[in-house]
Amino acid sequence: MLSGMIDAQTSASPAALVAVNVLWVGLVVAGIVFMIRRQRRIDNTLDPAYQHAPVAPAVVVERKFQYRKVNERRLYRITYRVHLAHGGHFIGWEDKYLTRFSGAPAFAVGTNHQVAYMPGSIEVRALPRKR
């Protein structure tokens, strides 16, 4: 009964089916690329409150897990020794969600980072690294 309903006039040509499938695969790939680029842009932006703050080199002196996890990212309190331009230094900190295998090793104890800080506050923000 089904074979009687499908004939040459109602079926699509093979070229049209191939074109539709190629278009569908292209849309899926473009969507995946868009989501990856969006996530990288979110990861590589500085907190707006620290956009024009002074920048100084810092060394991680402690990284402590805060027992909170969201979407396979763990919350860490990262403590820095921030070296100021005039020769002084202070201890600053930030809370940061890091992935276990790629983010956490980048903020291991002893690693160097550029941080933005607000004078008079001990809270800092690590600048995103250039890719």
Side-chain angles (χ1 to χ4, degrees):
M1 179 160 168
L2 184 61
S3 62
M5 295 172 43
I6 299 175
D7 58 3
Q9 293 175 348
T10 60
S11 64
S13 69
L17 289 175
V18 169
V20 168
N21 285 333
V22 167
L23 180 65
W24 176 250
V25 169
L27 287 173
V28 169
V29 169
I32 292 170
V33 168
F34 173 76
M35 288 187 304
I36 290 171
R37 289 179 61 117
R38 182 172 171 256
Q39 185 62 41
R40 283 187 178 171
R41 187 176 7 170
I42 290 170
D43 290 343
N44 290 332
T45 56
L46 183 62
D47 184 357
Y50 289 82
Q51 285 291 335
H52 301 291
V55 176
V59 177
V60 176
V61 293
E62 183 181 32
R63 183 187 73 197
K64 186 175 180 183
F65 179 53
Q66 297 293 314
Y67 301 103
R68 184 179 293 170
K69 187 171 151 181
V70 176
N71 294 337
E72 300 302 320
R73 290 177 167 226
R74 296 173 175 221
L75 180 64
Y76 290 94
R77 166 132 325 158
I78 302 169
T79 306
Y80 301 94
R81 178 180 297 272
V82 181
H83 302 280
L84 302 174
H86 59 74
H89 68 273
F90 70 94
I91 301 296
W93 63 271
E94 87 173 304
D95 287 337
K96 193 173 198 65
Y97 283 96
L98 301 172
T99 57
R100 190 172 189 179
F101 297 110
S102 62
F107 287 89
V109 173
T111 56
N112 296 314
H113 298 274
Q114 293 289 322
V115 296
Y117 66 95
M118 294 292 197
S121 172
I122 61 170
E123 196 169 348
V124 299
R125 295 290 183 268
L127 297 179
R129 294 187 181 220
K130 303 290 181 193
R131 291 187 185 239

